Amino acid sequence: MKIFIDTGILDEIREAVSWGIVDGVTTNPSLVAKSGKPFRELLEEITRIVDGPISAEVVSTKADSMVREAEDLAKIHRNIVVKIPLIVEGLKAIKVLSAKGVKTNCTLCFSASQALLAAKAGATYISPFVGRLDDISTEGMQLIRDIRQIYVNYGIKTLILTASARSPMHFLEAAKIGSDVITAPFAVLKQLAHHPLTDLGLAKFLADWEKAKK
Ligand code: G3P
């Protein structure tokens, strides 16, 4: 499973990259706003930190302007993947961009039916938002299972990018289901790296080592 970090904070990306676990980055307009940096400058900096897919979202909502925005973003770097919201105008834009060879990440997906349409339109990635479904008492990971079943049924090549991950359990379940990618905030990646028994075990090893030296 590929691991992308879901952030616009450069120091978080640098730190996670130093662990050797990061395969790409996802951003969205809210994360870019939070970074406090100009959009293009932020993307250019990220391309220098991570040699992998970097999702950058359009803010237009009409197909023709989405396509123009997407082509501009794609020119920034070969690793830029353009995020397009899963609305009808977004499907139209994905169809055009797919034919032009522009990689797309169809975002704000909340149903398996939507995911099938996005794949039909030619999306490179599909981003089902599992955490936001959990937030409304709907089992987000069931959506990943349903999408994977449908994609396997028809040999669909669109990559499942589990998004809106809120916990290590989302990460674990995504890996067990066979999600192609998960994108997670730095806080979740930190949680994944730590286990209390590892910390306790290491402390005991070092304490015993010190005792033996005396
Ligand atoms: O990439 C999508 C992700 O940023 C959404 O996460 O936590 O805002 O639902 P969240």
Side-chain angles (χ1 to χ4, degrees):
M1 183 169 73
K2 300 281 188 193
I3 299 174
F4 292 0
I5 183 169
D6 191 40
T7 185
I9 307 300
L10 295 173
D11 284 347
E12 291 182 348
I13 299 171
R14 290 189 189 97
E15 174 63 18
V17 165
S18 75
W19 302 355
I21 62 165
V22 170
D23 300 299
V25 181
T26 51
T27 69
N28 64 42
S30 303
L31 293 173
V32 171
K34 193 176 167 193
S35 77
K37 287 183 171 292
F39 190 22
R40 296 181 73 90
E41 183 185 313
L42 176 66
L43 293 175
E44 287 162 354
E45 188 59 46
I46 295 174
T47 64
R48 288 190 281 271
I49 301 169
V50 180
D51 183 18
I54 295 159
S55 286
E57 190 160 343
V58 300
V59 290
S60 312
T61 53
K62 288 293 177 205
D64 54 355
S65 43
M66 284 176 171
V67 169
R68 281 194 300 276
E69 224 186 308
E71 289 180 307
D72 279 348
L73 289 171
K75 285 178 190 145
I76 293 172
H77 193 279
R78 59 181 167 76
N79 284 338
I80 294 290
V81 176
V82 183
K83 257 190 178 181
I84 306 281
L86 215 168
I87 56 177
V88 168
E89 290 297 306
L91 294 174
K92 292 178 188 174
I94 288 168
K95 180 180 186 301
V96 172
L97 291 165
S98 168
K100 289 170 176 266
V102 176
K103 286 190 170 57
T104 56
N105 175 358
C106 191
T107 190
L108 287 167
C109 172
F110 293 96
S111 76
S113 310
Q114 282 182 311
L116 182 51
L117 297 186
K120 297 280 290 180
T124 313
Y125 295 92
I126 184 71
S127 285
F129 278 32
V130 298
R132 294 193 189 185
L133 286 168
D134 287 359
D135 290 347
I136 59 164
S137 305
T138 304
E139 198 204 337
M141 293 314 293
Q142 185 55 46
L143 176 55
I144 304 299
R145 287 186 205 97
D146 293 347
I147 294 171
R148 177 142 171 75
Q149 179 185 344
I150 292 167
Y151 281 17
V152 167
N153 287 351
Y154 299 100
I156 288 173
K157 299 291 181 239
T158 298
L159 298 170
I160 302 171
L161 196 169
T162 299
S164 185
R166 298 268 203 282
S167 75
M169 291 315 292
H170 281 151
F171 182 94
L172 180 61
E173 196 58 28
K176 288 164 71 175
I177 293 167
S179 183
D180 299 288
V181 187
I182 189 162
T183 192
F186 186 55
V188 172
L189 297 182
K190 280 195 291 186
Q191 283 176 284
L192 289 169
H194 286 287
H195 194 294
L197 291 181
T198 304
D199 297 342
L200 285 170
L202 180 59
K204 179 76 169 56
F205 285 164
L206 299 178
D208 291 346
W209 178 262
E210 285 306 312
K211 263 193 288 190
K213 274 175 32 180
K214 289 182 176 74

